[in-house]
């Protein structure tokens, strides 16, 4: 797989190298890594109101550990955007719903949340500006919020609200932090090697009907380089490189990238990047329907953890990613 996973998330994983300091006779012990906090679920709840009537409600949730960095989720489409200079160059822009959050444990037991939320969608027919201005690119309407909140476990607080100037609806985003759902536990594998297998299963549901179930897995040795897998296609994209026009290949499909390191309490610190993309026909050019997530999780061997879930704003499907870690004999 290339530098980008699946639909080209392009996000770098946490570096995990210990640097030796001093002379051979004078060694300084490595600084202890801060222990992770509790495993939490952070939920963005979107509600749309027209007057007193609720027109839509959708939830997006992330599982993360307090004091262990950012987690993110996105569901929607990637649209092709053409930038015309001397030679047209194609970029991709997310149009859908994305959330990003991290949590810090405070001395009184509350959590300080740094949270970001964005929803973008294409304006409908009849709402397109002069193509001499837009170069034929779609126009996006956007709701964006960013804030820092201090919440107790189980507490919900208003995060952001705004009037949608196009539809006239009031859009409200609420944020909830709670203990993560209990992980499914399985027996550890009796073995001598440190090899691990990570299974990730993506499920799409429409109501109670399962629309798709796609499994992916990688095997790696804890502490070694990242393991990754990708399946899909490569989309030719016109761009500029070294001052001249060229065509580059964009991965479109599903990819899982994982790092694992054992920590003193026996768990594994997993750096997880997952992306699932399906090529679809846009109005004038191809686009990619996407679900992607990124997180740092502390997982026991044999555990199954729901990484993230979201409602696809285009299809109404609930999309969920579940990760299982097991030993390899």
């Amino acid at each position: 797989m290339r530098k980008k996973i699946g639909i080209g998330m392009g996000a770098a994983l946490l570096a995990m190298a210990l640097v030796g300091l001093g002379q051979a006779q004078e060694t300084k012990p490595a600084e202890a890594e801060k222990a992770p906090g509790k495993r939490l679920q952070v939920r963005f709840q979107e509600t749309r109101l027209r007057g007193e009537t609720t027109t839509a409600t959708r939830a997006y949730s992330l599982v993360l550990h307090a004091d262990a960095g950012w987690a993110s989720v996105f569901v929607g489409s990637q649209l092709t955007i053409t930038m015309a200079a001397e030679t047209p160059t194609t970029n991709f822009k997310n149009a859908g719903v994305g959330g990003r959050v991290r949590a810090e444990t405070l001395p009184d037991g509350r959590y300080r949340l740094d949270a970001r939320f964005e929803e973008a969608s294409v304006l409908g027919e009849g709402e397109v500006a002069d193509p001499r201005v837009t170069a034929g690119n779609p126009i996006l309407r956007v709701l964006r919020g960013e804030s820092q909140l201090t919440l107790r476990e189980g507490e919900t607080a208003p995060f952001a609200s705004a009037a949608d100037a196009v539809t006239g609806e009031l859009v409200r985003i609420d944020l909830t932090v709670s203990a993560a759902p209990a992980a499914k536990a399985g027996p550890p594998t009796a073995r001598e090697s440190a090899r691990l297998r990570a299974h990730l299963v993506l499920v799409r549901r429409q109501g109670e009907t399962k629309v798709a179930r796609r499994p992916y897995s990688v095997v790696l040795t804890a502490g070694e380089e990242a393991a990754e897998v990708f399946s899909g296609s490569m989309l030719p994209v016109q761009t500029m490189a070294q001052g001249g026009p060229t065509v580059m290949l964009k991965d479109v499909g599903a990819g899982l990238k994982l790092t694992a390191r054992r920590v003193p309490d026996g768990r594994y610190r997993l750096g997880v990047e997952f992306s699932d993309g399906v090529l679809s026909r846009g109005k004038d050019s191809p686009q990619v329907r996407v679900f992607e997530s990124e997180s740092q999780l502390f997982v026991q061997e044999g555990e199954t953890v729901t990484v993230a879930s979201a409602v696809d704003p285009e299809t109404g499907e609930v999309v969920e990613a579940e990760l299982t870690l097991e030993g390899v004999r």
Side-chain angles (χ1 to χ4, degrees):
M1 185 170 48
R2 305 186 184 277
K3 291 182 180 178
K4 295 182 181 178
I5 303 170
I7 50 93
M9 293 176 64
L13 292 177
L14 183 67
M16 295 182 292
L18 295 177
V19 180
L21 299 177
Q23 302 298 324
Q25 294 86 1
E26 299 177 345
T27 59
K28 185 177 179 180
E31 187 175 317
E33 180 181 332
K34 184 177 180 181
K38 187 172 183 178
R39 187 184 292 165
L40 303 170
Q41 182 182 70
V42 176
R43 173 175 164 145
F44 295 91
Q45 179 78 36
E46 177 191 5
T47 304
R48 286 180 170 267
L49 299 164
R50 183 172 284 115
E52 299 297 320
T53 303
T54 299
T55 57
T57 178
R58 295 189 285 255
Y60 311 88
S61 65
L62 295 159
V63 171
L64 71 159
H65 286 265
D67 313 311
W70 291 92
S72 63
V73 64
F74 172 79
V75 63
S77 294
Q78 285 193 330
L79 307 178
T80 53
I81 304 293
T82 301
M83 301 178 65
E86 294 180 2
T87 301
T89 298
T90 301
N91 291 324
F92 286 81
K93 168 65 179 174
N94 284 348
V97 179
R100 180 170 166 84
V101 67
R102 65 180 174 183
E104 177 188 355
T105 307
L106 299 178
D108 62 2
R110 295 183 297 168
Y111 297 100
R112 183 184 186 274
L113 301 176
D114 289 339
R116 302 169 187 175
F117 181 89
E118 180 172 309
E119 180 176 10
S121 59
V122 179
L123 287 179
E125 295 290 337
E127 298 171 311
V128 179
D130 189 328
R132 291 172 297 180
V133 176
T134 66
N137 290 309
I139 300 174
L140 301 179
R141 57 189 178 115
V142 178
L143 170 69
R144 184 184 299 119
E146 180 175 349
S147 186
Q148 294 78 43
L149 298 174
T150 299
L151 300 177
R152 295 191 181 277
E153 188 177 311
E155 190 176 359
T156 299
F159 176 70
S161 66
D164 189 321
V166 176
T167 66
E169 296 170 323
L170 176 68
V171 188
R172 188 182 72 232
I173 308 297
D174 295 317
L175 190 67
T176 301
V177 61
S178 59
K184 304 171 190 175
T189 304
R191 70 195 195 286
E192 296 181 358
S193 73
R195 286 182 297 164
L196 300 167
R197 179 182 288 111
H199 293 279
L200 191 142
V201 178
L202 176 83
V203 175
R204 283 181 173 266
R205 294 187 179 87
Q206 189 70 260
E208 298 299 319
T209 303
K210 187 179 294 184
V211 177
R213 181 185 184 275
R214 295 195 281 271
Y216 309 92
S217 68
V218 293
V219 175
L220 74 165
T221 300
E224 299 293 333
E225 295 295 324
E228 51 191 84
V229 63
F230 170 77
S231 175
S233 58
M234 290 188 290
L235 176 67
V237 177
Q238 182 171 276
T239 186
M240 292 285 290
Q242 297 181 347
T246 186
V247 172
M248 301 185 70
L249 296 174
K250 175 181 174 61
D251 286 341
V252 178
L256 170 64
K257 185 173 183 179
L258 192 97
T259 59
R261 182 159 59 88
R262 195 176 180 93
V263 294
D265 64 7
R267 293 181 294 174
Y268 291 91
R269 178 173 187 148
L270 303 182
V272 183
E273 290 185 53
F274 176 73
S275 180
D276 181 270
V278 178
L279 196 62
S280 63
R281 184 183 296 277
K283 180 183 177 183
D284 299 311
S285 57
Q287 62 185 46
V288 185
R289 288 183 55 207
V290 176
F291 173 84
E292 59 188 23
S293 65
E294 181 180 354
S295 59
Q296 298 279 335
L297 296 174
F298 291 78
V299 180
Q300 289 278 8
E301 185 181 316
E303 275 191 324
T304 298
V305 179
T306 298
V307 177
S309 66
V311 178
D312 190 320
E314 296 179 25
T315 65
E317 297 170 348
V318 176
V319 193
E320 186 174 83
E322 189 176 77
L323 182 74
T324 300
L325 185 69
E326 63 182 19
V328 177
R329 292 183 183 275

